[in-house]
Amino acid sequence: SIKEIATLLKIDVILCDVNKYIKKYECLFKVIDEQQSQIQLIDGLFELLYKIKEKSVDFVKKEIINSFWSKTEDNVKELAGFIIQVIKTDMVLHPYLIDLLLELEKACNPSNNLNILLPFIVKKMIQSFGQSISNCAFIYKLHQKGIISNDEIINKLLLLFKLNFKIGQSNNSLDQNEIMQINNIFVWFLPEVIEINQFHPFLNLIKSRNNFNFVMSFVPDKIDVYKKLRDIGEPENEVTKALRNDDIDTLQSFVSMNQIDVSNYLVPYNIFENLFPNGDCSLLNYAAAYGSIKCFKYLILNHAEIDNSTFGLAVFGGNIEIIKIVDQQNINKKEYTVNDIAYAIKKHRNDLFDWIFEQRYSNKIDIETSDRIIYISARNGNAHSLIEMINKGIFMDFYASIYFT
């Protein structure tokens, strides 16, 4: 070991660094051991939230009410942070999460602090207005439920466009995050942007081809069509809905009637997607992203091709059978990227993280990859993936790179 070599050669500088490193690592393990019960509670809460569709809103509501998450103001604010994480990463769950928030609001009483939950989340959503497609989608659903008023949306847009963005535009200094924010707002709040007369001044900043084509398909005389589409809450396209719902009969009918080449057809752009290529996704990859196993198998049998994106999107969809099919067909054993495992981390699919990590990273992992996994884990509140890296000694390598390079 480095310590033995440094001791043998009496290299005090290195020995001092090694001892510091070992002490830091031991302290890290001590903290983890002390916080283990808290980590298990957090994992359990994420399990409830990400599986709310299967478990039911009522079940999750009762679990939260009867837990310590509902008791103190600090705990309720932590609960809000976990709910916001799910809002960010899974738009399909938005209707269930809003119903959950409304049910928890009704359950307010002197024995809990749930009265602050919904207002706190609304405040955080408004503060980050437009920073992601999922943020915009959730704000609009809150508006549909009467939780956020139209005036609040208009006032926030005026503040953003006439103050924040206008200052940047006049100095020609809007950064990429601000440009992305404008793109997201145009896609989700097009009628409101037109209403406050900010459509033409900022149209040139709609950089995405798919975003631009979508927006322009409703301007100037189809805004009512856009509003109806937005209110429906899901894509109208027949094949898109079939793939989302694993409706193999509709998919088969669509493919045969339209003589579709299943390898080249791209699922149309829609505003109800986040986290994967929107408007540039093959039928097979879209089925993988929604865990639609029947549609996926049908497309495979009809010679749809697995590509470099399929595995990551299968992880995003979370269907184990699809993931294993894709992995088995990876005959060249292409190295999966950090983006592939990132979907498992972001959506707290810890069993998938463990499996991918064991399959692809158990023997070797470079510092850049480990650094990225640590960052993604911390940013998405995934203690499980972070601790697994520590337990396997990966985090030790990360610290070693800091001390000895």
Side-chain angles (χ1 to χ4, degrees):
S1 68
I2 295 176
K3 183 175 181 178
E4 289 171 343
I5 294 170
T7 302
L8 182 65
L9 297 177
K10 298 181 179 180
I11 307 175
D12 293 338
V13 174
I14 294 178
L15 191 59
C16 181
D17 281 343
V18 169
N19 287 330
K20 285 180 185 177
Y21 159 58
I22 291 171
K23 186 176 180 181
K24 189 162 190 167
Y25 193 64
E26 287 172 346
C27 288
L28 190 60
F29 261 112
K30 184 180 178 183
V31 170
I32 290 170
D33 288 341
E34 290 171 350
Q35 298 295 320
Q36 194 60 46
S37 60
Q38 181 73 7
I39 290 165
Q40 289 173 351
L41 287 169
I42 292 170
D43 284 346
L45 179 58
F46 273 124
E47 173 82 4
L48 284 173
L49 294 173
Y50 275 109
K51 293 188 176 177
I52 190 171
K53 185 177 177 181
E54 296 82 5
K55 292 180 181 291
S56 83
V57 169
D58 188 60
F59 178 84
V60 175
K61 176 196 76 172
K62 289 175 181 175
E63 290 290 308
I64 289 173
I65 290 171
N66 294 325
S67 73
F68 87 107
W69 296 111
S70 68
K71 304 309 177 188
T72 70
E73 185 174 327
D74 285 344
N75 287 345
V76 171
K77 286 181 178 179
E78 279 194 79
L79 169 63
F82 299 134
I83 292 173
I84 290 169
Q85 170 63 23
V86 182
I87 290 167
K88 282 172 18 182
T89 54
D90 201 328
M91 286 175 66
V92 171
L93 298 181
H94 283 189
Y96 303 93
L97 294 172
I98 287 180
D99 287 346
L100 174 66
L101 290 171
L102 293 173
E103 288 298 311
L104 291 172
E105 181 87 352
K106 292 177 189 175
C108 297
N109 62 51
S111 71
N112 63 52
N113 273 270
L114 289 169
N115 60 302
I116 71 169
L117 179 61
L118 183 56
F120 186 79
I121 287 178
V122 169
K123 179 183 176 182
K124 292 297 181 182
M125 289 289 104
I126 292 294
Q127 285 176 346
S128 56
F129 198 112
Q131 289 181 9
S132 68
I133 285 290
S134 56
N135 166 272
C136 291
F138 200 77
I139 286 174
Y140 188 74
K141 286 190 179 297
L142 290 170
H143 167 63
Q144 283 183 301
K145 293 286 187 178
I147 299 166
I148 295 178
S149 69
N150 190 64
D151 285 346
E152 287 178 280
I153 291 174
I154 291 296
N155 288 337
K156 183 63 179 181
L157 289 174
L158 284 169
L159 179 66
L160 287 170
F161 279 100
K162 293 197 171 183
L163 183 61
N164 297 41
F165 298 153
K166 188 67 75 176
I167 290 170
Q169 189 188 46
S170 63
N171 295 319
N172 196 29
S173 60
L174 283 172
D175 63 30
Q176 288 303 308
N177 289 332
E178 289 170 321
I179 291 171
M180 181 59 69
Q181 192 175 4
I182 291 168
N183 275 252
N184 296 335
I185 289 169
F186 262 66
V187 166
W188 262 96
F189 295 100
L190 178 61
E192 291 77 15
V193 170
I194 292 172
E195 181 182 336
I196 63 172
N197 299 314
Q198 297 302 310
F199 178 75
H200 291 293
F202 288 91
L203 181 60
N204 67 311
L205 293 176
I206 308 304
K207 302 298 184 182
S208 161
R209 168 180 54 84
N210 288 323
N211 285 352
F212 183 84
N213 290 342
F214 175 80
V215 166
M216 294 309 294
S217 69
F218 298 102
V219 177
D221 56 358
K222 293 183 179 178
I223 299 300
D224 287 341
V225 176
Y226 170 90
K227 288 180 179 180
K228 288 177 183 176
L229 171 68
R230 184 172 62 173
D231 285 341
I232 290 169
E234 66 175 2
E236 280 192 306
N237 180 267
E238 181 183 31
V239 72
T240 305
K241 287 197 289 187
L243 290 168
R244 281 175 159 231
N245 299 319
D246 206 11
D247 181 355
I248 189 170
D249 293 333
T250 300
L251 177 62
Q252 285 177 321
S253 175
F254 175 83
V255 169
S256 61
M257 287 179 64
N258 296 282
Q259 297 183 320
I260 297 296
D261 180 349
V262 296
S263 288
N264 293 319
Y265 182 88
L266 298 179
V267 176
Y269 174 94
N270 72 82
I271 64 172
F272 304 101
E273 309 290 359
N274 66 335
L275 291 180
F276 63 87
N278 191 356
D280 297 305
C281 204
S282 70
L283 292 171
L284 187 74
N285 284 351
Y286 201 87
Y290 279 90
S292 297
I293 184 62
K294 289 183 287 186
C295 290
F296 186 87
K297 286 181 175 178
Y298 164 77
L299 291 165
I300 286 285
L301 289 172
N302 283 271
H303 312 297
E305 296 179 1
I306 289 171
D307 61 28
N308 290 343
S309 300
T310 311
F311 184 80
L313 293 174
V315 174
F316 178 86
N319 185 291
I320 301 293
E321 190 175 355
I322 292 176
I323 291 167
K324 290 188 175 179
I325 290 171
V326 178
D327 186 61
Q328 287 163 5
Q329 294 206 16
N330 182 17
I331 54 176
N332 296 322
K333 292 299 174 188
K334 176 189 80 71
E335 285 296 321
Y336 298 131
T337 69
V338 117
N339 291 331
D340 297 327
I341 201 169
Y343 287 130
I345 297 170
K346 289 177 181 178
K347 299 185 82 170
H348 289 253
R349 293 198 167 116
N350 296 331
D351 54 342
L352 281 180
F353 171 85
D354 293 342
W355 182 80
I356 297 168
F357 201 88
E358 187 64 32
Q359 292 288 313
R360 296 300 172 195
Y361 298 116
S362 59
N363 295 324
K364 61 176 182 178
I365 183 169
D366 59 72
I367 295 300
E368 184 179 350
T369 300
S370 64
D371 190 9
R372 182 71 179 152
I373 291 175
I374 292 165
Y375 172 78
I376 294 168
S377 299
R379 188 172 177 81
N380 292 278
N382 195 320
H384 175 89
S385 53
L386 192 57
I387 290 169
E388 282 302 301
M389 291 187 67
I390 294 169
N391 287 338
K392 294 179 186 299
I394 304 296
F395 212 65
M396 182 182 284
D397 293 339
F398 173 71
Y399 272 119
S401 73
I402 296 172
Y403 277 116
F404 305 121
T405 60

